[in-house]
């Protein structure tokens, strides 16, 4: 299964894709790609949102994920930030739906707890744990891509969902 995590933001939108290995005996996941989409502030809002939508659809078409995970927004510093995050989040949901994909949502607290074991972990801790999960051997970490906070958060979302699926699968086998 290939999972696309999307961390919507008011200025940047992180994305990350992982997949389960063909060998079901391993618990590792395979890193496919990650990055961030930067939206220019100078453009009008509707153009920025269309550009974000087009870019997300392009990513979905290029990498063919099976499911999309988007972060739930429950806190922002201001009303303007809430509005911007809500618009970016809506675009992520629309891009996934227009490509016929299922969308799952997790809060930042759920993701941080799943990745670091602590729901109030800092972004840097999440970033470090994502690197350790995806590139467990330090020799591989040297060749690993540089993850921005946005892309690390998106990968954390995807990994959180993968773990949730594995947990549900284990319960169903009982």
């Amino acid at each position: 299964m290939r999972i696309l995590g999307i961390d919507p933001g008011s200025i940047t939108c992180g994305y990350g894709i992982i997949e389960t290995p063909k060998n079901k005996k391993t618990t590792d996941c395979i890193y496919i790609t990650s990055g961030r989409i930067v939206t220019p502030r100078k453009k009008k809002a509707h153009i920025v949102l269309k550009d974000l939508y087009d870019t997300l659809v392009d990513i979905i078409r290029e990498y063919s994920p099976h499911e999309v995970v988007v972060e739930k927004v429950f806190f922002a510093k201001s009303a303007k930030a809430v509005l911007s995050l809500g618009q970016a989040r809506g675009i992520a949901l629309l891009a996934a739906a227009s490509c016929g994909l299922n969308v799952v949502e997790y809060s930042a607290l759920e993701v941080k707890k799943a990745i670091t074991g602590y729901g109030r972990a800092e972004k840097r801790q999440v970033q470090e744990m994502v690197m350790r999960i995806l590139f467990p051997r330090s020799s591989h970490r040297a060749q690993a891509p540089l993850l921005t906070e946005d892309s690390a958060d998106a990968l954390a979302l995807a990994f959180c969902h993968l773990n949730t699926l594995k947990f549900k699968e284990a319960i169903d086998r009982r």
Side-chain angles (χ1 to χ4, degrees):
M1 170 174 281
R2 190 171 277 196
I3 302 168
L4 166 61
I6 300 174
D7 179 35
S10 55
I11 298 169
T12 62
C13 179
Y15 67 91
I17 302 175
I18 59 171
E19 73 179 14
T20 56
K22 295 193 187 330
N23 177 3
K24 293 280 187 178
K25 292 179 183 176
T26 180
T27 58
D28 295 341
C29 61
I30 300 165
Y31 170 85
I32 303 300
T33 191
S34 64
R36 68 184 194 158
I37 304 161
V38 181
T39 56
R41 291 182 180 206
K42 303 277 186 210
K43 289 185 178 179
K44 291 186 176 190
H46 66 284
I47 301 298
V48 169
L49 294 174
K50 183 183 181 322
D51 289 349
L52 178 58
Y53 173 82
D54 291 342
T55 304
L56 288 172
V57 167
D58 288 346
I59 290 166
I60 291 168
R61 288 184 180 148
E62 181 176 352
Y63 293 100
S64 303
H66 299 101
E67 290 194 340
V68 175
V69 186
V70 178
E71 186 177 62
K72 288 182 192 174
V73 177
F74 68 95
F75 172 79
K77 294 179 182 177
S78 68
K80 185 177 179 182
V82 169
L83 182 60
S84 293
L85 287 172
Q87 289 173 335
R89 201 171 161 292
I91 291 299
L93 297 173
L94 178 62
S98 69
C99 293
L101 295 173
N102 182 46
V103 177
V104 181
E105 301 172 83
Y106 296 98
S107 70
L109 189 93
E110 291 170 307
V111 174
K112 289 176 180 182
K113 190 165 186 176
I115 299 301
T116 68
Y118 179 59
R120 303 218 186 275
E122 301 204 8
K123 282 193 172 278
R124 183 75 186 124
Q125 292 170 300
V126 172
Q127 197 172 12
E128 179 60 31
M129 283 305 295
V130 166
M131 288 297 290
R132 288 180 186 213
I133 291 165
L134 293 175
F135 309 102
R137 292 184 288 267
S138 60
S139 60
H140 289 146
R141 253 182 261 153
Q143 302 162 346
L146 180 63
L147 298 180
T148 64
E149 286 182 354
D150 299 316
S151 60
D153 287 351
L155 287 163
L157 279 158
F159 191 75
C160 176
H161 183 56
L162 178 62
N163 279 347
T164 301
L165 291 174
K166 287 180 181 180
F167 181 73
K168 287 179 182 176
E169 187 179 292
I171 288 175
D172 289 345
R173 276 187 265 143
R174 291 186 136 204

